Amino acid sequence: MEISKLLLIMVSAIFVNNFVLSRFLGICPYLGVSRKFDSALGMGMAVTFVMTIASFITWIIQIILNHFGLSDILQTIAFILTIAALVQFIEMYLKKALPELYKALGIFLPLITTNCAILGVTLLNITQHYNLLESVVFGFSAGIGFTLALLMMASIRERLELAKVPKVFQGTAIALIIAALMSLSFMGFSGLIGE
Amino acid sequence: MNILKVFKDGILDENPTFKLVLGMCPTLAVTTSATNAIGMGLATTFVLIMSNVIISLIKDLIPSKVRIPAYIVVIATFVTLVQFVMAGFLPALNKSLGIFIPLIVVNCIIMGRAEAFAGKHNVILSFFDGLGMGIGFTLALTLIGGIREILGSNKLFGYLFFPHNYKPMLFFVLSPGGFFTMAILLAFFNWLSMKKKEA
């Protein structure tokens, strides 16, 4: 039963309620970092990494806040500070321990603090009453869903550079049209899981 | 730099939604109806003004190395305030905006204005910058929300818009409709500014 529920969370977060295309979380990097496939992959990996760890830590922090009866007042502040600190720590750790990975993810890490998908994941974990394992799985799959959308967008935009786009649509406007079509096709998944 | 120009820039020339293209997540997510859009716009405006004012007041006290976390704490405090007011007085709006109220913290408009404007200017200018940007954001959101609500559910602010025999296009209140409406409006404003440049 446990496994099937986890699987359900994964499929739902990746396809049915894709973070970018159906929940509108993390649109800024989705439009900003999707011009090149390589940087999209780097960003996606960095986001997935931070999301998974942030889900784990904020879940524990929520328990602590609940214990002191402060979760109403301090939740938002505590979560965003945790994420900011976490990103800083990961950056420092990667720089020392895994310089190769740091080179690949480095420039994307500072951008992640203000990525609303991360704070979104941690808040959704709480509102949907996930337990620790479910939260981590949800965080990881949300990151994969984000990466998937980002990679698809980047692949299309790389080809788009050769296409003739009307002047007024150049830049963000055409990217939004692509996002609309992508989101429309992702709606085909909506019958997959009855909510 | 005078007050009027700062105020006007936020609404027109540097409109956060259509010119700077910032804060896209709430822009697309909550604009399924004009009421939601106004609620979100006003909540963001409040946080924007207050954080701009406080940050411009304390900017000399914060060491520049830790300014970003300090800004985040200020912003998150006001967002928590908004959360309480919304939950207490506007429970219906609170429910339909849901997770996007706490997510005002990571709205790039607020952080962007703190970093680009309030950290460098005095209190009065920062106040009017926040007000202008906030109104610009609210107007943009209301425009998108109005269009999506009329086309998608044949209503405006909850009241029937066209006579009964108009069949609403559900597409516009669903997520693809959000992307699509925003794309068309962005192209329209691009076209306007291009025309202005030619003339």
Side-chain angles (χ1 to χ4, degrees):
Chain A
M1 162 251 151
E2 205 38 24
I3 296 287
S4 67
K5 193 171 180 204
L6 292 181
L7 218 62
L8 210 67
I9 290 175
M10 281 187 94
V11 173
S12 154
I14 296 175
F15 296 111
V16 185
N17 291 316
N18 184 287
F19 257 58
V20 179
L21 298 171
S22 119
R23 283 191 206 264
F24 293 123
L25 290 167
I27 305 278
C28 294
Y30 179 63
L31 296 174
V33 208
S34 59
R35 283 177 199 281
K36 288 227 167 62
F37 190 85
D38 293 338
S39 49
L41 188 64
M43 185 69 182
M45 272 159 57
V47 166
T48 312
F49 193 57
V50 175
M51 261 185 186
T52 315
I53 300 174
S55 297
F56 180 78
I57 294 180
T58 52
W59 193 88
I60 293 168
I61 285 182
Q62 174 74 11
I63 298 291
I64 298 171
L65 288 179
N66 270 341
H67 181 75
F68 292 105
L70 290 170
S71 59
D72 285 346
I73 309 169
L74 284 182
Q75 191 191 50
T76 312
I77 302 179
F79 278 21
I80 187 71
L81 283 180
T82 310
I83 293 167
L86 183 70
V87 170
Q88 200 84 53
F89 273 124
I90 292 174
E91 202 181 341
M92 279 166 12
Y93 175 77
L94 286 184
K95 209 173 186 177
K96 268 253 155 105
L98 302 159
E100 280 304 304
L101 192 61
Y102 177 75
K103 242 187 216 161
L105 302 185
I107 46 165
F108 303 111
L109 282 171
L111 294 174
I112 285 181
T113 313
T114 50
N115 181 341
C116 57
I118 313 269
L119 188 60
V121 163
T122 60
L123 291 169
L124 282 171
N125 280 333
I126 306 302
T127 53
Q128 301 192 341
H129 304 290
Y130 285 149
N131 66 28
L132 185 56
L133 182 62
E134 287 166 353
S135 296
V136 173
V137 170
F138 183 65
F140 176 73
S141 353
I144 297 291
F146 175 79
T147 311
L148 180 72
L150 198 62
L151 288 183
M152 292 197 313
M153 183 59 136
S155 325
I156 296 174
R157 279 182 102 171
E158 276 192 352
R159 303 198 74 176
L160 203 67
E161 279 183 10
L162 304 170
K164 268 191 193 154
V165 179
K167 224 175 181 180
V168 290
F169 273 100
Q170 268 165 19
T172 316
I174 192 73
L176 282 165
I177 293 275
I178 299 169
L181 294 174
M182 215 183 270
S183 161
L184 198 60
S185 55
F186 262 65
M187 279 182 68
F189 289 116
S190 64
L192 213 58
I193 293 171
E195 272 202 274
Chain B
M1 199 184 285
N2 65 43
I3 292 172
L4 200 71
K5 186 178 181 311
V6 168
F7 178 65
K8 216 184 79 192
D9 271 356
I11 301 175
L12 297 171
D13 294 338
E14 289 181 24
N15 185 293
T17 308
F18 294 120
K19 290 287 155 69
L20 306 179
V21 200
L22 288 175
M24 289 314 282
C25 302
T27 307
L28 294 170
V30 304
T31 51
T32 48
S33 77
T35 318
N36 282 356
I38 286 195
M40 186 67 192
L42 292 183
T44 311
T45 306
F46 171 75
V47 177
L48 198 52
I49 293 174
M50 294 312 285
S51 66
N52 259 8
V53 166
I54 298 291
I55 286 168
S56 70
L57 281 174
I58 62 171
K59 63 174 184 284
D60 298 327
L61 302 173
I62 313 170
S64 71
K65 271 197 172 164
V66 294
R67 67 180 192 286
I68 302 286
Y71 293 171
I72 290 179
V73 174
V74 172
I75 296 167
T77 310
F78 287 111
V79 171
T80 310
L81 214 67
V82 169
Q83 268 179 287
F84 275 104
V85 173
M86 284 256 189
F89 294 102
L90 302 159
L93 189 64
N94 187 48
K95 212 177 158 203
S96 55
L97 295 182
I99 183 183
F100 283 93
I101 298 172
L103 284 182
I104 295 176
V105 180
V106 282
N107 188 323
C108 6
I109 298 173
I110 298 174
M111 200 55 177
R113 289 333 278 177
E115 175 76 6
F117 200 94
K120 293 177 190 136
H121 294 87
N122 66 31
V123 186
I124 297 168
L125 277 179
S126 300
F127 173 85
F128 280 99
D129 179 69
L131 186 67
M133 284 284 162
I135 292 177
F137 184 64
T138 310
L139 287 178
L141 245 61
T142 313
L143 176 67
I144 303 169
I147 292 174
R148 287 180 70 187
E149 198 182 357
I150 289 172
L151 293 177
S153 50
N154 190 18
K155 280 177 182 164
L156 189 61
F157 294 108
Y159 297 103
L160 204 66
F161 193 75
F162 293 118
H164 279 290
N165 47 14
Y166 169 77
K167 201 156 180 279
M169 291 175 271
L170 191 62
F171 170 79
F172 279 97
V173 286
L174 297 173
S175 22
F179 285 115
F180 186 74
T181 313
M182 184 64 206
I184 298 296
L185 281 173
L186 206 58
F188 174 70
F189 282 100
N190 281 348
W191 178 76
L192 270 190
S193 55
M194 257 182 216
K195 258 203 139 173
K196 215 168 139 193
K197 233 178 254 167
E198 274 172 23

